[in-house]
Amino acid sequence: MGALLLIASFCLTLLLVRWLKSTPSRSLPLPPGPKRYPVIGSLLHVPVDLPWKTFHEWSKIYGDVVYVKIPHKKIVVLDSIEAVLDLFEKRSEIYSDRPQTVMNELMLVDRWCFPLIGYSSLWRSYRREFHQFFNQHQVHKYQPTQLRGCQVFLQRVLDSPSQLNQHILLLMRSMILKIVYDMNVTDLEDEFLRLANEGVEKITEAALPGRFWVEFAPILRHLPSWVPGASFKRYVEDLNPKMDELLDRPFYTVKRDYAAGTAGDSMAATLIHKLQSNEDVDKSQREYHTRNILGVAYAAGSDTSTAALQSFFIAMSLYPDIQTKAQKELDRIVGPGKLPTFEDYDRLVYIQAIILETLRWLPVSPLGLPHRVTRDDEYRGMLIPEGTTVIPNIWAILHNPEDYPEPYRFNPDRFIKNGSLNTSVRNPMNIALGFGRRICPGRWFIHSSLFITIASTLHTMDIFPDLGSDGNEFDPFTSENVYSGIKLTLGALPCTVTIRSDREPLIRDIAIS
């Protein structure tokens, strides 16, 4: 008995020593950051508008790992790719969680929107299901839909070029709706489309740090909606029924059509067939699960692609030399007598470089989605406490002059060397669309959508700046109307387009069934 106690004591001692070595000491210093005051911490310093720019200015003072304490929140901002890769990639097992905000809980998005769900078995099941449709080896199946959507887009621009931005919005949203639900939407005023756009916009707005005071004083969540200052409650009460309708209506329409044998080919029909064929599952729970995956596929895919395409049009209007160079490549490789197809991809190197530069130059989400560390961690001799929200400053990383000289200049040539893509230059696609286990699972679909649309646009159109009332060109880096919430959102595009005269017959001759 004494020997057993001795062995047990020895083993416990070893485990204790190992645990102590693996657990950062709370005596370690926190990362530096703006001045903290009693109770409110650094709340007075937290920016509401364009926070990525303020965060970057802080990095010049405190370094690339900045600590911010506000009521009920610990935040670390990472301002360099080195810090992001060290934590989100090399330590992904503890940096892949999501912070759960009061607004997310009230809006219930932490139940259905899997990009915002914590790192858990539920998240993994959502991600696995989504990945089977949008991984790198599957997205080629959607090329006919993407090509046809792009052709319809060209015809719409030909008929009404002054409505360019509306055509862009309709292009990406209708394309993903066709793939996900086999829905044919031809008008931005479609009731479902308006509902979806409003829902996505409100969720994004609520994610902006400091947008609602309830995040700093969670006890306010118990206020009735009629009390002054409870605008967040009214915001949620307006949104939640719309989000339920957004998720329910297309799903149950496909389910009804599937039962009647009239459902078309879609992601929804495939998942419903799988659900109906499996007798060993809780069907109500799986149905809820399936409904949510489909809703995220629409909301996330259309929003990111739309924003990136808007960024592209702004860039082309401001850099006519880039536009001309791309058109020469297209004329040489595709030829003036036909439209680009996906078969032209490998040879259109400059178009590929334009896609990369578009994602870098005006990133669709300057701060991405925040991560959360699940236990105390030591980094460079500093303590990052368990539960800290960790934010990657994607804007700063993509405008780092060491990686991208003259970072505010749109220059696709930075990605080309000896006629091929230069793999020694850091790929913006691996930054703009997330990191580690939380990287965007729809990135390959986004990339292929951008390719066919950008190639077809440059092959058939000329893009010009739309001068403002002061006679000056639009500057996306000084305008206050580029970003809404935490993503690129343009209500109007500051550019105009004309169809290249010899390309009009190509567009007119497209047969759209």
Side-chain angles (χ1 to χ4, degrees), residues 91-147:
R91 306 185 190 184
S92 60
E93 73 279 2
I94 63 170
Y95 281 92
S96 295
D97 200 18
R98 291 284 191 226
Q100 300 307 301
T101 68
V102 175
M103 285 301 292
N104 278 355
E105 292 174 4
L106 293 175
M107 295 188 299
L108 307 180
V109 295
D110 58 339
R111 297 185 186 179
W112 66 265
C113 186
F114 78 83
L116 300 177
I117 289 175
Y119 187 62
S120 61
S121 58
L122 176 62
W123 172 81
R124 283 188 287 272
S125 66
Y126 273 129
R127 173 90 177 202
R128 186 166 52 249
E129 199 88 63
F130 188 95
H131 181 74
Q132 69 173 307
F133 290 95
F134 290 100
N135 66 69
Q136 190 174 5
H137 305 293
Q138 292 295 317
V139 292
H140 70 277
K141 296 190 301 185
Y142 309 125
Q143 289 180 359
T145 300
Q146 291 170 308
L147 182 61

Side-chain angles (χ1 to χ4, degrees), residues 11 13 39 41 66 72 76 127 164 178 200 209 230 239 273 333 373 395 437 461 482 486:
C11 290
T13 301
V39 182
V66 178
H72 302 282
V76 163
R127 173 90 177 202
L164 174 63
K178 178 67 175 175
V200 172
L239 174 65
H273 174 74
I333 292 174
V373 63
W395 174 276
R437 301 179 188 184
M461 304 178 202
V482 174
I486 58 171

Side-chain angles (χ1 to χ4, degrees), residues 208-503:
L208 183 67
R211 173 65 177 83
F212 292 103
W213 276 94
V214 69
E215 297 295 349
F216 306 127
I219 195 172
L220 295 178
R221 67 188 299 165
H222 301 294
L223 290 176
S225 58
W226 54 266
V227 172
S231 61
F232 69 92
K233 267 291 184 66
R234 296 187 289 276
Y235 191 93
V236 169
E237 290 173 356
D238 176 62
L239 174 65
N240 282 356
K242 294 177 180 178
M243 292 310 301
D244 282 337
E245 186 178 359
L246 169 65
L247 295 167
D248 286 343
R249 189 199 297 181
F251 173 76
Y252 287 111
T253 298
V254 178
K255 183 183 177 184
R256 179 200 63 203
D257 293 344
Y258 178 85
T262 59
D265 183 25
S266 69
M267 181 178 170
T270 301
L271 287 174
I272 289 171
H273 174 74
K274 180 179 177 181
L275 178 66
Q276 299 295 341
S277 303
N278 192 342
E279 298 295 335
D280 299 326
V281 298
D282 179 346
K283 280 200 168 45
S284 62
Q285 183 62 32
R286 288 297 303 174
E287 191 170 278
Y288 177 77
H289 186 95
T290 299
R291 179 203 77 151
N292 296 343
I293 292 171
L294 297 169
V296 169
Y298 164 72
S302 62
D303 214 41
T304 303
S305 301
T306 297
L309 196 54
Q310 290 175 322
S311 176
F312 157 76
F313 272 94
I314 293 175
M316 291 302 98
S317 73
L318 299 176
Y319 292 86
D321 55 324
I322 303 297
Q323 186 177 171
T324 299
K325 187 171 182 177
Q327 289 172 334
K328 287 180 178 178
E329 180 186 67
L330 286 157
D331 289 347
R332 184 179 72 254
I333 292 174
V334 177
K338 62 186 289 286
L339 291 171
T341 69
F342 284 99
E343 293 177 355
D344 300 310
Y345 177 83
D346 289 336
R347 294 181 296 160
L348 293 174
V349 177
Y350 200 65
I351 299 299
Q352 294 181 49
I354 285 177
I355 296 171
L356 295 177
E357 185 69 340
T358 295
L359 293 171
R360 185 204 69 81
W361 182 67
L362 208 58
V364 299
S365 183
L367 295 177
L369 290 174
H371 293 228
R372 175 183 177 275
V373 63
T374 54
R375 63 173 172 81
D376 285 356
D377 190 32
E378 178 184 351
Y379 183 57
R380 299 180 187 170
M382 299 176 291
L383 172 68
I384 299 181
E386 176 185 348
T388 297
T389 295
V390 187
I391 299 174
N393 193 345
I394 289 174
W395 174 276
I397 293 169
L398 290 175
H399 291 85
N400 179 359
E402 293 184 7
D403 285 328
Y404 310 107
E406 296 183 89
Y408 294 96
R409 177 184 167 214
F410 190 92
N411 177 24
D413 286 287
R414 71 174 82 247
F415 297 106
I416 296 177
K417 183 177 182 180
N418 299 326
S420 301
L421 288 183
N422 186 357
T423 56
S424 66
V425 178
R426 201 178 296 279
N427 188 336
M429 191 171 169
N430 297 331
I431 300 170
L433 300 178
F435 305 93
R437 301 179 188 184
R438 287 291 189 162
I439 194 168
C440 173
R443 62 194 182 281
W444 301 112
F445 177 82
I446 293 169
H447 186 271
S448 60
S449 297
L450 290 176
F451 166 74
I452 197 62
T453 308
I454 287 174
S456 299
T457 296
L458 289 171
H459 197 50
T460 58
M461 304 178 202
D462 291 316
I463 305 168
F464 304 95
D466 187 6
L467 300 182
S469 57
D470 57 2
N472 295 322
E473 289 183 347
F474 177 80
D475 184 348
F477 299 110
T478 60
S479 173
E480 298 178 355
N481 301 316
V482 174
Y483 289 97
S484 172
I486 58 171
K487 68 181 180 66
L488 188 147
T489 307
L490 287 161
L493 275 177
C495 60
T496 59
V497 297
T498 60
I499 302 299
R500 298 171 71 185
S501 58
D502 62 334
R503 306 301 154 89

